[in-house]
Amino acid sequence: MTNHHDSTDAAEPGDITTPSGNAMATPSGHGGSVPSGRGGPAPSGHGRSAPSGRGDSPDLAADQQITLRTASELADALPYLLGYRPEDSIVLVTVHDRNGRGRFGARARLGIPEREEDWPSVAQQLAQCLVTGSERRGARPEGMVVFLCRDPAGVESGQQIMERLRPLAQLLRTACGGLDVPVVEALCISGGRSWSYCCPGDRCCPPEGVSLGLPGTSVLAAAATYAGMQVRGTLRELRARLIPWGTQATVDEQEQALDAAVMTLVPRMLDEAEGASVAAETLELARRIIGRLADTPPAGGTHRADLRDDELIAHDEAAALILGLQDRTTRDQAAEWMEGDEAPAALRLWRALARRCVGAYGEHAAAPLTLAGWVAWSLGDELEGREALAMALGADPGYTFAVLLHRACNEGLDPESIRRCLRSERAEREAAAPDPDPDQVPSSCTPAAHAPLATLRAQPSGMGRPAVPVGPDQRRRRSGQGGGPGAKGKRAGQSSTRPAARRRVGRRTARTDQ
């Protein structure tokens, strides 16, 4: 599950069990040794056994075991369970017992609510969501591990944060206990130290906490590195690759290009005959840019790589693609670039387009964010896939394609079933299309003549006919992007000579049923 306090996605459990389900750990008391099975560490509880499992990373060797001797080693293992370093988060991980040995099961993450009065309901809903999701998969947990992660800010120390979050830890323990799932360990991680809410002993769990090891220096880190497991930075760093630009000069230039594209493309997209031409032009332009990106290897470091990609895409090209992808059929054809050599460059393009959805066009990011999430998931990166899809729902909570993909990713479905559907549609479309002039339009840009992705959603009415949505100001308030008073005043003053009706159209975009 990925659900952030700064986004609007629904809470869904995520599955981190190993494919074979045979990750095991032998029982151990607090301070004892706990060998881990494949895929990650087994936490040592206080008189309870706990399991091992995998995160969003490759498994460890089947016969490889890692011994965790203390609760602080369990805290050190958290990034390897999730695949990233959580910030300001509640993390729950289920414990499953198998013949006296255990494994980690599903896990859930939620941002810590700022208002303490929200803690009781959040604790109940989070525990219920994770236990119910596990039961739905036929594996009711025997226990739960709780992590509360928040770094100090200002003059507050890690120990003070631990004490302030103690009521939340108790609420989570009570909520899980009420579902007959005992909490075997509850840890607070703050400022590079960890505290146990379950252990009463000062010798192993002193009041000042236990210092965590330096990242990458533990036995687990060495084993994970050897196995090819990767721990990202933080979710904030990952989301930074997908959020709109912040430099005002570039924002203004891109917004002006989007306004110009709306004035040019919307009338054509609303015309049934011209709409097919716009779709073909959009896909052809996307293919050219994907080739351009593929020919330019990314620079070292994610930030530098994203800046290089931004330089390779002109404002008017990005605007035309953002507008063209609002057509559902065009977007579904673009989703076919999901594997092989074209997929990594396509993912770079969708990230770049998401960064270009600036100002009043924040809701338009739902299309490129959904494509980015889908391609990342298809390439095996479940973490970026879930994050991008969650951000797509933050931009437009009703975006059906993102809703269904996000649910499928969280449910642990195999993306291959969706890939087969897209491959089939691509083959059918190309087989039905007349042989094109190779000097004119590539066959992959031929407009679709059938209903896309029927296996993923119910067929909406009016398919293939874009419609200009009413009430763009209301949409911006709902998405929470680009709707501030300053933005409104700036846009209103950009072109005082433009007729009022054309100004209104300039704030809209063509969209279809999602």
Side-chain angles (χ1 to χ4, degrees):
M1 164 193 157
T2 302
N3 184 28
H4 312 294
H5 60 280
D6 53 357
S7 68
T8 57
D9 55 302
E12 290 288 345
D15 190 9
I16 60 168
T17 56
T18 57
S20 59
N22 63 352
M24 296 294 178
T26 57
S28 172
H30 180 62
S33 62
V34 182
S36 164
R38 61 182 294 184
S44 68
H46 302 276
R48 293 294 302 262
S49 64
S52 80
R54 74 173 177 89
D56 300 318
S57 304
D59 294 329
L60 297 176
D63 58 349
Q64 186 171 0
Q65 291 188 339
I66 302 169
T67 301
L68 303 180
R69 295 180 173 84
T70 65
S72 63
E73 290 183 354
L74 172 59
D76 185 59
L78 179 59
Y80 298 93
L81 287 175
L82 298 179
Y84 61 92
R85 303 186 184 281
E87 298 177 300
D88 197 27
S89 300
I90 305 168
V91 180
L92 300 185
V93 183
T94 61
V95 171
H96 298 271
D97 182 55
R98 178 175 295 175
N99 299 323
R101 308 184 74 183
R103 62 180 177 86
F104 281 135
R107 54 84 175 92
R109 192 207 75 89
L110 191 72
I112 298 175
E114 292 298 330
R115 301 194 314 163
E116 294 187 18
E117 53 266 37
D118 293 334
W119 290 358
S121 60
V122 164
Q124 290 288 342
Q125 293 173 19
L126 189 58
Q128 182 70 51
C129 173
L130 190 53
V131 172
T132 301
S134 297
E135 289 178 334
R136 191 165 61 245
R137 296 175 178 86
R140 178 177 176 81
E142 281 75 39
M144 193 81 71
V145 180
V146 174
F147 299 88
L148 298 180
C149 308
R150 171 169 283 180
D151 283 329
V155 298
E156 193 174 29
S157 68
Q159 188 172 359
Q160 290 172 322
I161 289 175
M162 181 271 294
E163 291 296 344
R164 182 158 58 85
L165 296 180
R166 187 181 292 275
L168 176 57
Q170 185 59 39
L171 287 167
L172 289 163
R173 296 175 69 183
T174 302
C176 294
L179 298 170
D180 294 325
V181 180
V183 171
V184 298
E185 180 58 276
L187 296 174
C188 177
I189 301 173
S190 180
R193 305 185 76 83
S194 67
W195 291 263
S196 172
Y197 291 113
C198 296
C199 179
D202 290 344
R203 176 178 296 181
C204 57
C205 299
E208 67 273 15
V210 179
S211 178
L212 301 178
L214 293 175
T217 60
S218 66
V219 175
L220 173 60
T225 301
Y226 179 78
M229 295 174 65
Q230 180 185 10
V231 175
R232 305 286 188 86
T234 65
L235 292 181
R236 182 181 296 123
E237 293 168 346
L238 191 153
R239 290 195 294 266
R241 309 192 70 183
L242 301 167
I243 61 176
W245 284 343
T247 306
Q248 193 58 49
T250 54
V251 167
D252 290 344
E253 292 176 3
Q254 185 61 64
E255 195 166 10
Q256 290 169 10
L258 285 162
D259 280 341
V262 166
M263 302 299 292
T264 302
L265 292 179
V266 166
R268 296 182 61 201
M269 295 175 75
L270 291 173
D271 182 87
E272 187 168 356
E274 281 291 302
S277 298
V278 173
E281 293 166 8
T282 300
L283 293 167
E284 183 179 10
L285 175 60
R287 184 174 288 279
R288 288 203 309 269
I289 296 178
I290 287 174
R292 187 187 307 165
L293 294 171
D295 292 338
T296 309
T302 57
H303 182 64
R304 289 179 58 195
D306 292 342
L307 289 176
R308 172 76 63 83
D309 290 348
D310 290 337
E311 293 172 356
L312 294 173
I313 305 172
H315 293 301
D316 58 339
E317 291 177 326
L321 288 176
I322 290 169
L323 267 294
L325 289 172
Q326 304 308 309
D327 176 77
R328 182 174 57 83
T329 303
T330 306
R331 179 211 62 203
D332 287 350
Q333 287 187 239
E336 295 169 1
W337 300 322
M338 63 199 167
E339 56 191 345
D341 295 337
E342 62 191 2
L347 178 57
R348 291 163 60 187
L349 174 58
W350 308 143
R351 289 193 196 117
L353 293 183
R355 296 192 294 269
R356 303 291 187 103
C357 294
V358 298
Y361 294 90
E363 188 172 323
H364 294 64
L369 283 171
T370 301
L371 289 170
W374 158 238
V375 176
W377 180 32
S378 179
L379 289 174
D381 190 343
E382 294 183 12
L383 174 59
E384 182 172 0
R386 281 196 301 268
E387 283 303 305
L389 292 169
M391 291 177 68
L393 294 176
D396 185 353
Y399 201 71
T400 308
F401 195 31
V403 170
L404 293 166
L405 285 174
H406 188 246
R407 183 180 304 159
C409 186
N410 278 326
E411 290 292 330
L413 300 182
D414 187 350
E416 177 58 24
S417 60
I418 305 174
R419 286 194 292 260
R420 284 197 299 267
C421 172
L422 288 168
R423 291 190 204 107
S424 174
E425 291 186 356
R426 187 175 190 171
E428 290 177 9
R429 185 179 63 254
E430 293 177 352
D435 293 335
D437 184 343
D439 296 327
Q440 299 298 321
V441 181
S443 61
S444 60
C445 297
T446 307
H450 61 279
L453 296 179
T455 60
L456 287 182
R457 58 179 175 274
Q459 295 294 341
S461 60
M463 185 168 49
R465 287 276 306 180
V468 179
V470 297
D473 293 332
Q474 285 83 351
R475 286 178 19 236
R476 284 196 294 277
R477 282 197 297 271
R478 180 185 67 184
S479 65
Q481 300 186 31
K488 182 178 180 181
K490 174 179 70 66
R491 289 180 56 78
Q494 278 182 349
S495 178
S496 59
T497 59
R498 188 191 301 176
R502 290 178 65 82
R503 283 201 302 274
R504 286 195 298 272
V505 173
R507 289 184 175 185
R508 299 174 181 176
T509 183
R511 296 173 61 201
T512 65
D513 293 321
Q514 299 158 352

